[in-house]
Amino acid sequence: MTRRLGDTPRGGPVQSFFLPRGTARRPAIARAEGIYLWDETGRRYLDGSSGPVVSNLGHGNRRVLDAMQAQAARATFAYPGLFESEANVALADLVCELAGPGLDRAFFVSGGSEATEAAIKLARQHAVAIGQPERITVIAREPSYHGGTLGALAVTGDARAHDMFGPLMRAMPRVPAPLTYRVPSGHTVESHAKACAEALEAEFARQGPHTVLAVIMEPVGGLSSGASVAPAAYHEAVRQICDRHGALLIYDEVMSGAGRTGRFLAADHWPRGRPDLVTLAKGLAAGYTPFGAVLAPDRVVDAVASAGGFNHGHTYFTNPLSCAVAHAVVRETVDRDLIGNAARMGARLCERLQAIAASSRIVGDVRGLGLLMAVELVADKATKRPLPLELVAPARLCALALDQGLALYARRTSGGAYGDWVMVTPPLIIDAVGVDELAAGLEAAVAAFERELGASGVLP
Ligand SMILES: Cc1ncc(COP(=O)(O)O)c(C=O)c1O
C-alpha cells in the first residue's frame, strides 16, 4: 500500500510540513554518486536539476569527502570572534581571485537567504559609515527570489509570499524584471528591457534617490523567472543608474554563481554591468555543506571596518569545516575545468531542449545560460497561453519525469502569474552522454504529459 503523509502519529518526514496531508510519500534516498541518485528500492534517477540547483559537482566527490574528513579531524568548529582559521583564509583568497578585481573580500555564511541578509546589512552599515544614513531602501524586481527569511522576502518579488508575510515586514519597492518570453505587446525583448531600466530610474525618483541604499537583482534569473537572461544593455543601464545615484548594486548569484553559467560569476558575462556586492551559495559548496558568501570591494569593507566593524553574524558563519569543504569544491571546479564544461555542455543541452521544443506542443520556450536552463510550458505555442493554473503543470511534469528516472526541480512564483517552467540544471560534471540521457528522459516526460492533456481535453 502506498504510504501517505500524515500516516505516522508522531515525527515522520519533513515533507509533512510543506506538502498537503495525504500526498503519496516521496522515494527515500539510499545513496548518490556522480549525476545519479538511488532510492531504497534500487531505482536510479538522473539528477537533472542538481536538486534545487545545488549539486554542481554531482554526488560523492572523493576530493571533497577527503577534505571534509581531514578538516573534521583538525577542528570542526572554532568561533571566528576568537580564532582565525586557515580554511577561511584559503577559501576567501581563492574565491576573491576567481571573482576578480572589485570583489576583494569574502564573508561566509550558511546559505543563500543568510547571504542576502548579510549583503543588505553590509550595504546599510556602509551607507551609515560614509555619512549617508538616509539611505534605507533597497529596490528589488518582480518576479524575483532572494530567500525565505523575512529580510530576504522583503526584497523578493513574489506577490503570493507578500500576501502571507507582508504584514510582518517592510516590503521594499519592486520594479519589473525584463522577462524575455512574455514581453508586453508592442515591445521587443530589447525595448521591454529598456522600459524596465526606465522603470528603475523612475523608482529612484519616486523614492528620492538619496534614500536608495541598493538595487538587488539576479543577473541570470533563477527559479523565479525560469533562467531569464536580460540583454547586455539592461545590465549596463542598471549599473549606470546606481552610479548616478550613489546606490550599491547587489547581484544575487546564489543560483547563477560558482560556474553554473559557464563563467565563475554570471556577472562576468557583462563586464560593464559589474556589481558592487555579490551573494553566492548553492554551487559554492555544491550541497556538501550548507554554505553561502557575500563578496565585497575593499572600499565597502574598509569603510565598515573603520566605523567599528560589521555588526552582523550567525553562530555558524565562516565555520572551518564548511570553509574547507567549499574550498575543495571550488578547487575541484577549477582544476577539472567544470566552468568550461558548463559552457560546452550548456550549448549541447540547449540544442537538445530546442529540439524537444520544436517537436512538442507544450514547450513554448527554452532559455538560460550555460547549465542554468529552463523550459516554459504553455497550452498554445502560437499565443503563449499558459496551461490552466489548477493543473500545476511544472509539478506534474516533474512527477512524470521522476517516473522516467529523471529528477527535475520546479516551484511556482506568484502562483504562476508569469507562466510555468521547469529548471534543467544538471551537475557541471555532466558529459555528452549524460546530457543526451537527460534530454531523452525529458522528451518522454513531455510526451506523457501531452498524452494526458490530450486525454483530458486540455489540448485539442
Ligand atoms: C537566487 C536565489 N537567492 C537566494 C536564495 C535563497 O537561498 P537559500 O535557500 O540557500 O536560503 C535562492 C534559493 O533558491 C535563490 O535561488
Side-chain angles (χ1 to χ4, degrees):
M1 199 180 77
T2 310
R3 301 183 72 195
R4 301 207 165 262
L5 292 173
D7 63 4
T8 53
R10 279 216 178 81
V14 72
Q15 284 80 4
S16 58
F17 280 79
F18 58 81
L19 291 175
R21 196 181 174 84
T23 305
R25 287 182 52 177
R26 299 287 198 235
I29 184 74
R31 71 185 183 92
E33 197 181 324
I35 62 168
Y36 297 106
L37 305 133
W38 284 263
D39 71 16
E40 277 182 341
T41 70
R43 260 208 91 181
R44 193 181 83 166
Y45 306 87
L46 193 159
D47 194 358
S49 299
S50 306
V53 199
V54 169
S55 303
N56 281 13
L57 288 189
H59 304 271
N61 181 283
R62 199 62 256 167
R63 181 178 187 173
V64 179
L65 299 183
D66 287 347
M68 188 185 290
Q69 273 191 333
Q71 181 61 44
R74 240 174 265 134
T76 50
F77 187 83
Y79 178 54
L82 296 173
F83 296 101
E84 280 195 9
S85 87
E86 186 44 42
N88 167 202
V89 176
L91 177 63
D93 289 355
L94 177 60
V95 169
C96 291
E97 186 194 321
L98 291 167
L103 295 166
D104 316 300
R105 306 277 161 198
F107 184 85
F108 296 112
V109 294
S110 302
S113 304
E114 279 190 18
T116 301
E117 302 281 342
I120 293 171
K121 288 172 80 174
L122 184 63
R124 170 66 185 159
Q125 288 184 51
H126 171 252
V128 173
I130 61 171
Q132 300 179 358
E134 63 284 1
R135 292 193 184 272
I136 55 167
T137 296
V138 179
I139 301 179
R141 308 189 313 167
E142 178 92 30
S144 66
Y145 186 70
H146 298 295
T149 52
L150 289 176
L153 268 186
V155 294
T156 283
D158 183 317
R160 282 287 171 85
H162 283 265
D163 287 347
M164 176 62 80
F165 301 113
L168 303 183
M169 64 203 184
R170 179 176 159 238
M172 294 287 169
R174 302 191 292 281
V175 295
L179 303 183
T180 52
Y181 180 53
R182 297 174 186 283
V183 295
S185 74
H187 272 291
T188 62
V189 166
E190 284 71 24
S191 72
H192 177 50
K194 188 161 177 281
C196 289
E198 285 161 6
L200 177 63
E201 178 74 65
E203 192 59 41
F204 268 83
R206 198 166 15 254
Q207 296 297 328
H210 62 290
T211 68
V212 178
L213 186 61
V215 170
I216 187 165
M217 59 180 267
E218 295 150 90
V220 176
L223 192 73
S224 64
S225 65
S228 190
V229 187
Y234 175 81
H235 292 266
E236 291 170 23
V238 171
R239 177 69 269 175
Q240 285 163 10
I241 293 167
C242 289
D243 284 345
R244 210 161 29 249
H245 301 302
L248 295 182
L249 176 55
I250 305 171
Y251 271 12
D252 178 339
E253 297 234 23
V254 165
M255 199 176 271
S256 62
R260 178 149 289 279
T261 68
R263 302 280 174 90
F264 181 67
L265 298 179
D268 298 337
H269 293 282
W270 302 283
R272 298 197 329 175
R274 194 91 183 139
D276 299 294
L277 305 181
V278 168
T279 59
L280 294 166
K282 294 189 182 269
L284 183 61
Y288 287 85
T289 190
F291 208 59
V294 180
L295 309 184
D298 276 333
R299 67 187 156 78
V300 168
V301 177
D302 286 348
V304 170
S306 300
F310 190 24
N311 182 13
H312 174 74
H314 298 272
T315 298
Y316 293 105
F317 84 102
T318 311
N319 77 81
L321 184 55
S322 291
C323 286
V325 168
H327 185 264
V329 168
V330 178
R331 272 259 64 95
E332 182 80 339
T333 305
V334 171
D335 292 351
R336 284 173 62 185
D337 187 28
L338 296 180
I339 301 177
N341 195 56
R344 288 185 296 275
M345 289 303 123
R348 186 181 184 99
L349 178 63
C350 186
E351 264 176 36
R352 296 289 180 274
L353 296 179
Q354 275 162 351
I356 294 173
S359 63
S360 138
R361 297 171 65 194
I362 58 169
V363 176
D365 194 30
V366 171
R367 54 181 180 258
L369 202 51
L371 285 174
L372 180 50
M373 300 291 300
V375 291
E376 179 151 350
L377 303 173
V378 291
D380 183 335
K381 285 166 73 166
T383 62
K384 304 183 183 177
R385 177 166 52 86
L387 285 158
L389 273 182
E390 63 277 10
L391 291 183
V392 198
R396 186 62 196 143
L397 183 65
C398 287
L400 291 166
L402 210 60
D403 291 345
Q404 303 291 333
L406 173 63
L408 290 177
Y409 177 52
R411 187 165 51 76
R412 265 187 169 158
T413 296
S414 287
Y418 299 93
D420 273 330
W421 44 79
V422 171
M423 305 305 289
V424 189
T425 55
L428 310 192
I429 59 167
I430 199 164
D431 60 12
V433 174
V435 167
D436 293 351
E437 185 185 332
L438 190 170
L442 181 61
E443 190 169 20
V446 167
F449 197 16
E450 285 179 1
R451 281 195 299 277
E452 243 180 49
L453 293 168
S456 61
V458 175
L459 288 182

